[in-house]
Amino acid sequence: MPCPSSFPPGLLALMAPGLALMATFSLPSQAGDRRALPVEKPPGVKGRTLILLDVNTKSPVRIISENFLSLQLDPSIIHDGWLDFLSSRRLVTLARGLAPAFLRFAGKRTDFLQFHNVKNPAKSRGGPGPDYYLKNYEDARSLDKLYNFADCSGLHLIFALNALRRNPNNSWNSSNALSLLKYSASKKYNISWELGNEPNNYRTLIGRSVNGSQLGKDYTQLRSLLQLIRTYSRAHLYGPNIGRPRKNVIGFLEGFLKVAGGTVDAVTWQHYYIDGRVAKVTDFLKTRLLDTLSDQIRKIQKVVNTYTPGKKIWLEGVGTTSAGGMNNLSDSYAAGFLWLNTLGLLASQGIDVVVRHSFLDHGHNHLVDQNFNPLPDYWLSLLYKRLIGPKVLAIHVAGLQRKPRPGRVIRDKLRIYAHCTSYHNHNYVRGSITLYIINLHRSRKKIKLAGTLRDKIVHQYLLQPYGKDGLHSKSVQLNGQPLAMVDDGTLPELKPRPLRAGRTLVIPPLTMSFYVVKNVNALACRYR
């Protein structure tokens, strides 16, 4: 199946993320760096606070996957009739802008999908209607469309199989999955695999439970199936994609890892910050909410390091809100504070991949709306892909600081992360560094680059809401210019604003921004 018409090669060359380094200002480093106190204005010095910032350029504290920022498509696109739109040139252009990445095909409908390799679905009888299933037929196969979209977009497909097809003894019935595996192997599709979606929630979903040990046995069975099929004998397998790590879910994960810890290539879980039915715009500005993910990371890492030390960890199915999100909130500029902080926090704590739910057609958590227009989090993700890569650097800050009060936790509203600038971005030589900054204060903040960053030319990429809706806006501007696609096959040029060497960085209130510090010649950033 051919891809939509070609894209400008000069544009695509800039879209993949390169090696970069990253560290957090507000949270302690896993590499043993001293925790930096938050910077606040004490009484009487309003407007005079100056933060001094330097970066350790000698070696990275973390190295994450080239596909760190990845995407998810919910199987609801089949039931809702969106699958045919994946051939849209516009959608492929948008997806390709975020390559390289994984494309995870999974969600709540995962465990209700069945694979029917039939020539004419109209003749299918019994059960839900034919559009509900993943059907493969000679002229327009659903799996073919899905794989073609991923392939044309430069994404690697991860397909989650139905785990709820069960035998009387509650073991996994793999017959339908085997049919799908054989079909995709006959087409030589390069696919990685999972089994089920949020299996700890099956009792709530269907009134029937599967414990961690049993799912571990099911994964072992799936690995055996893959090894029998030559195309997939070395395919990657990920799981168990559990929900939020509460006590019972931790027990589920422990049972799974005892049985199948050596079977999976990465351990996966999900996270949603807010109940989308009750979310308010002020929720997205709460530092306490931003920090909830850190506690979950520690819980997952503790279990994984106990049973499978060194195993990679992925956060799959992350979104700002649950319950499908909320219009004018989870799809607005305000949601970007959570999304960008999630990227920074995960990389700084060594999580290898984060999968955003969803690229398209899932409530209001998506990156692209139903008219195929990119939303604020898409533009934020595109900037991240253009400027950031997989190495993580430690940062050091100094400035006027507020003394901690007894019994009070200081939660910082200025978040700073640092990376090597992407090797794939040919506008910058190797050794450059990219900072990105979240300012949740309602006043501007000033940052003076020091040490190795001192007196270097800086390129600013300031992302702000566009239009009268403010934080509720679904449009953004970059350095004062609104962002929009040039046409269905062309993304806009992301033009920086050059700042003179030695200039103080002025961070506007309630904004997100990227700063490329040119020609630092950082040792950690010179080589892959």
Side-chain angles (χ1 to χ4, degrees), residues 21 56-60 391 393 420 423 430-433 520-528:
L21 298 172
N56 184 339
T57 61
K58 293 182 179 180
S59 60
K391 288 183 178 178
L393 279 179
C420 290
Y423 292 157
R430 292 189 181 188
S432 299
I433 288 174
V520 178
N521 199 27
L523 179 63
C525 306
R526 293 181 202 166
Y527 311 103
R528 288 178 179 270

Side-chain angles (χ1 to χ4, degrees), residues 107-118:
K108 288 186 177 180
R109 292 187 182 274
T110 288
D111 296 298
F112 298 97
L113 290 177
Q114 298 185 55
F115 178 79
H116 284 200
N117 189 7
V118 294

Side-chain angles (χ1 to χ4, degrees), residues 23 35 84 130 217 339 359 431 525:
R35 177 170 182 161
D84 289 338
K217 295 175 183 177
W339 177 225
F359 177 67
C525 306

Side-chain angles (χ1 to χ4, degrees), residues 104-112 159-164 166 172 193-200 202 215 218-219 222 237-242 268 270 316:
R104 180 177 184 254
F105 187 70
K108 288 186 177 180
R109 292 187 182 274
T110 288
D111 296 298
F112 298 97
F159 193 100
L161 299 164
N162 184 342
L164 281 181
R166 294 275 145 185
W172 180 49
W193 303 94
E194 295 183 2
L195 182 59
N197 182 76
E198 204 172 355
N200 56 284
Y202 285 163
L215 188 69
D218 301 336
Y219 262 78
L222 175 55
L237 182 60
Y238 307 110
N241 195 250
I242 54 172
T268 62
Q270 298 185 22
E316 288 187 334

Side-chain angles (χ1 to χ4, degrees), residues 133-383:
Y133 294 109
L134 263 184
K135 294 182 181 300
N136 298 274
Y137 32 97
E138 291 180 351
D139 58 346
R141 298 182 175 92
S142 296
L143 182 57
D144 295 341
K145 293 175 183 178
L146 177 64
Y147 186 83
N148 189 66
F149 171 74
D151 190 48
C152 291
S153 303
L155 310 176
H156 177 78
L157 182 62
I158 300 175
F159 193 100
L161 299 164
N162 184 342
L164 281 181
R165 289 180 62 89
R166 294 275 145 185
N167 295 315
N169 65 356
N170 207 32
S171 63
W172 180 49
N173 185 328
S174 61
S175 58
N176 192 257
L178 183 59
S179 296
L180 191 154
L181 290 171
K182 287 181 176 179
Y183 175 80
S184 58
S186 72
K187 305 286 286 188
K188 294 183 168 44
Y189 288 159
N190 181 19
I191 301 177
S192 296
W193 303 94
E194 295 183 2
L195 182 59
N197 182 76
E198 204 172 355
N200 56 284
N201 199 38
Y202 285 163
R203 180 175 291 280
T204 302
L205 198 62
I206 63 164
R208 182 180 185 179
S209 64
V210 176
N211 61 38
S213 298
Q214 180 58 58
L215 188 69
K217 295 175 183 177
D218 301 336
Y219 262 78
T220 302
Q221 181 182 350
L222 175 55
R223 173 61 77 186
S224 297
L225 282 181
L226 293 173
Q227 290 173 342
L228 291 174
I229 300 173
R230 187 171 185 177
T231 303
Y232 299 122
S233 60
R234 297 183 179 180
H236 288 147
L237 182 60
Y238 307 110
N241 195 250
I242 54 172
R244 179 175 295 187
R246 298 183 176 93
K247 184 176 181 180
N248 64 317
V249 179
I250 290 295
F252 186 100
L253 179 59
E254 291 173 337
F256 175 84
L257 292 179
K258 288 177 183 178
V259 176
T263 299
V264 293
D265 295 286
V267 176
T268 62
W269 98 102
Q270 298 185 22
H271 175 71
Y272 294 89
Y273 285 95
I274 313 172
D275 185 342
R277 294 165 293 192
V278 298
K280 304 182 296 295
V281 69
T282 52
D283 292 333
F284 297 95
L285 308 179
K286 295 178 179 177
T287 56
R288 185 183 299 273
L289 180 66
L290 269 64
D291 292 339
T292 57
L293 180 58
S294 185
D295 181 57
Q296 291 197 28
I297 294 172
R298 287 191 291 268
K299 289 179 180 179
I300 295 292
Q301 287 177 330
K302 182 179 179 180
V303 177
V304 172
N305 291 336
T306 298
Y307 294 97
T308 54
K311 183 73 66 177
K312 293 184 183 300
I313 302 174
W314 291 12
L315 178 56
E316 288 187 334
V318 64
T320 53
T321 58
S322 63
M326 197 170 199
N327 189 29
N328 293 324
L329 282 179
S330 51
D331 51 2
S332 70
Y333 178 87
F337 296 123
L338 280 175
W339 177 225
L340 189 57
N341 188 70
T342 296
L343 295 171
L345 187 59
L346 291 171
S348 67
Q349 297 200 18
I351 302 304
D352 197 50
V353 171
V354 54
V355 180
R356 173 60 187 257
H357 190 195
S358 175
F359 177 67
L360 172 74
D361 188 42
H362 185 77
H364 302 283
N365 277 326
H366 42 233
L367 300 180
V368 178
D369 69 17
Q370 294 186 352
N371 295 316
F372 304 163
N373 292 317
L375 292 165
D377 276 6
Y378 176 85
W379 296 115
L380 191 58
S381 302
L382 183 64
L383 276 168

Side-chain angles (χ1 to χ4, degrees), residues 333 376 379-380 382-384 386-387 428 459-467 475-484 492-497 512-515:
Y333 178 87
W379 296 115
L380 191 58
L382 183 64
L383 276 168
Y384 190 98
R386 295 281 184 92
L387 302 174
Y428 303 108
H459 278 185
Q460 171 186 279
Y461 297 83
L462 175 62
L463 201 66
Q464 294 174 292
Y466 178 72
S475 300
V476 294
Q477 54 184 325
L478 179 65
N479 295 325
Q481 298 298 315
L483 287 177
E493 181 182 358
L494 303 180
K495 296 180 179 180
R497 178 191 175 196
M512 296 166 281
S513 51
F514 295 76
Y515 295 89

